[in-house]
Amino acid sequence: MSEGPESVVRDYYDALRNGDPLEPYFLADESTVKFGISEALFGYDEVSEALQEQTETTAEWTVESRSLTVTDRDGGATFADEVTMAWTDAENGERRRFETRWSGTLVRPEEESTRAGEHEWQFATMHVSAAGEL
C-alpha cells in the first residue's frame, strides 16, 4: 500500500511530536527550501543540519493541525494548514508556543535517488510562518 502526500504530512507532524528524525521527509536536493518562523534554509544539507539540531535542542512538542488541505497533482502535491505548535527549549527549559501557517510542496523522488527510510512523497518546499506578531 503506497502512502499518499496527506499521510506523509500527518506522519511528519507525528515525527515532530515524537522527536523522531525529520530529515527523511525532505527531498535530498539542492533545490529543497524550508522557511521556518525565524530561519531560511536553502538546499537539503542546510535543511537536514537544522532539523537535526532542532531535534537535539527541543522537547515536548505539541502540533495541533486545524485546516490541513492537500492536493495531489500527478507527481507533485501542495499542502496548507493552520497549526498551533509548542515545544520546550531543552537548553533553558523555556516553553515556546506559536499560532502558525504552513504551506509547501511534496514530490515523488526518482526511484534511483531514494535512500533507505525515505518516504514515497517528500517535501521539496516548506514554509512555516507565525500568524501574528512575534
Side-chain angles (χ1 to χ4, degrees):
M1 181 176 174
S2 69
E3 60 184 348
E6 182 173 341
S7 176
V8 171
V9 173
R10 292 185 187 285
D11 287 350
Y12 180 82
Y13 292 167
D14 286 341
L16 189 52
R17 289 181 195 103
N18 296 332
D20 296 336
L22 301 172
E23 56 276 9
Y25 290 89
F26 285 82
L27 182 66
D29 193 88
E30 286 300 310
S31 65
T32 298
V33 176
K34 180 181 179 293
F35 295 118
I37 293 174
S38 63
E39 64 189 358
L41 305 168
F42 294 88
Y44 176 79
D45 291 341
E46 219 175 277
V47 170
S48 176
E49 184 178 311
L51 290 170
Q52 289 173 24
E53 181 180 341
Q54 172 185 298
T55 299
E56 293 169 3
T57 60
T58 61
E60 301 170 353
W61 276 83
T62 59
V63 179
E64 299 169 8
S65 168
R66 290 189 306 278
S67 304
L68 181 60
T69 180
V70 180
T71 304
D72 185 340
R73 303 187 186 280
D74 291 329
T78 59
F79 79 99
D81 201 357
E82 293 178 310
V83 177
T84 300
M85 62 184 203
W87 67 90
T88 300
D89 183 315
E91 296 171 346
N92 64 22
E94 181 180 348
R95 187 78 178 153
R96 310 282 313 244
R97 182 178 185 279
F98 293 95
E99 298 298 327
T100 61
R101 300 170 292 210
W102 295 44
S103 63
T105 58
L106 295 100
V107 296
R108 288 182 173 182
E110 305 215 1
E111 241 180 82
E112 63 271 7
S113 67
T114 302
R115 298 181 316 264
E118 289 182 340
H119 298 272
E120 183 177 336
W121 289 87
Q122 296 175 324
F123 296 108
T125 64
M126 180 184 284
H127 185 118
V128 178
S129 60
E133 290 187 35
L134 297 178

